[in-house]
Amino acid sequence: MAVVSQAANLLEKAIGHTGDAVTEQNMTNPDRDREQYADPSGEKMKALVWMGKNDVQVVETYKPKIIEDRDVILKITGSTICGSDLHLYHGAVIELQKGDILGHEFCGKVDTVGPSVKNLKPGDRVVASFQIACGECMYCQKKLSSQCERTNSNKVENIMYGGRTAGMFGYSHFTGGFAGGQAEYARVPYGDVNLLKLPDDIPDEKGLYLSDVLSTSWNCVVDTGVKEGDVVAIWGAGPIGQMCAEMSFIRGAKRVIVVDGGPAAWRLDLVKSKTPKVETLNFTELPKGTTVTSKLKEMEHGGPDVALECAAGEYAKSWTHQLELLTGAETDTSEILNEMITSVKNYGRCGITGVYVGFTNHFNIGSIMERGIRFIGNGQAPVHLYWEELLKMLQDGSLNSGIMLSHRVDISEMDTLYQKFNARADNIQKVFVQTRFSDPPAPGTPEVTSWK
């Protein structure tokens, strides 16, 4: 994949951008052009940067400055690491460049605002959506913010997908090339649109997760149509899978079965301890001759009604897919997808929320057609469509994001956090990453863990 990524970088340079973005592209670190992008004060900040496959580092770089009228500069008070960050860490997402600041989930306090920003002022507590929306295009008018037409001019993505997503923070030049929020400061383009004020009764340890994980989980469940009485199977017991289980019950699911195994099998016990109604399936403990599909059909006649993919396409089980990923013959394995397709009832529904980047082989299209399976790409979750509703759910207690929060870490140790999270070590589920601007831990949330 590293070869594919570098080839994509070269291709993008050769063919150029589409030229229709309305915000600055490929500004992934103010240090790349200090005169144009760094704050004139010369203030430095800590930031987590990608330096190559399986190599991230905490470095000192420059505080960003306002470069467009609707920009907001945030003092970051909370960020986190996400399973999709591991795809960057592994080099599985194309068009990464050394020195790119990572991180797409963050909250903070407004530091400065551009002259056209009228709804925010310095000191306001806010959470950022992981995508960058203009607020005005066809998709933004419907609050489908992840598909904004005007904030990502990457031509490679447009050719590969037949269209583009919105620009996204800290997620490679493939999604516009924007510096992320695993830092002490961040520049938020169209800050008047892409920041949501946090009320006093919602601490950062809750509000942060409106940025991505809560909206992504809710979108997965709602978009795949989980409804009253459904039996739901979920692949992946990480934070997204865990919250999808909780939200499936909120939507009226009768049973929820979470599938995981290998080095991450401990997460099944964690999810079960937080949501006792959940049933679990450890695929590494299945007897010889028993598959995930056959076990699910044994547990529920005909299989589940709904299957939700909350893992990703880079984790191959068979040597065939391992070889194809290694050689670039595919970018994503179809193994989990095929398990889902063959597991659900006829006319069942499969929702795909784990990250898939490009192309896959050996995909069971025949089962989809013959058995009427609804195969649904949930897309990058449109945060703006959901975050106000989810904020109300946090406020009234009908949604508890605290069930996934396991650790608090200082940004100075974020490179170690990537290594630990990648190894599924120390029972790390979801993390709150603090900076020098963070408030003390809210009551009932984890104290700081240090590996120094």
Side-chain angles (χ1 to χ4, degrees), residues 326-451:
L326 183 65
T327 59
E330 64 178 2
T331 59
D332 307 273
T333 175
S334 59
E335 289 162 293
I336 291 177
L337 306 179
N338 287 338
E339 282 182 354
M340 294 167 60
I341 291 165
T342 56
S343 294
V344 294
K345 291 181 174 71
N346 292 3
Y347 294 104
R349 306 183 297 286
C350 296
I352 316 305
T353 280
V355 172
Y356 286 75
V357 177
F359 302 94
T360 189
N361 299 325
H362 318 292
F363 180 68
N364 196 345
I365 187 68
S367 182
I368 291 177
M369 182 271 151
E370 297 289 353
R371 298 172 57 234
I373 308 303
R374 272 54 179 165
F375 191 81
I376 302 162
N378 300 128
Q380 296 287 354
V383 173
H384 294 194
L385 185 63
Y386 301 121
W387 61 355
E388 291 174 343
E389 176 186 5
L390 291 167
L391 175 59
K392 290 177 183 176
M393 293 169 69
L394 290 175
Q395 288 181 293
D396 67 23
S398 59
L399 177 62
N400 178 13
S401 62
I403 62 174
M404 64 179 169
L405 181 57
S406 62
H407 289 72
R408 185 185 185 100
V409 175
D410 191 82
I411 191 170
S412 62
E413 297 190 54
M414 198 155 194
D415 47 357
T416 304
L417 173 61
Y418 264 78
Q419 295 167 17
K420 297 278 188 181
F421 192 62
N422 182 54
R424 307 290 193 264
D426 295 6
N427 289 358
I428 297 171
Q429 181 73 333
K430 197 64 177 176
V431 182
F432 184 90
V433 178
Q434 67 178 24
T435 73
R436 59 187 157 118
F437 302 121
S438 302
D439 293 327
T445 65
E447 294 296 322
V448 177
T449 295
S450 176
W451 295 290

Side-chain angles (χ1 to χ4, degrees), residues 189-200:
Y190 288 91
D192 52 343
V193 171
N194 295 302
L195 296 169
L196 179 70
K197 288 183 182 179
L198 292 175
D200 291 341

Side-chain angles (χ1 to χ4, degrees), residues 66-85:
I66 288 172
I67 60 175
E68 295 168 346
D69 287 352
R70 291 171 68 181
D71 283 354
V72 171
I73 304 298
L74 280 192
K75 292 179 177 177
I76 303 299
T77 57
S79 66
T80 188
I81 186 171
C82 174
S84 56
D85 287 321

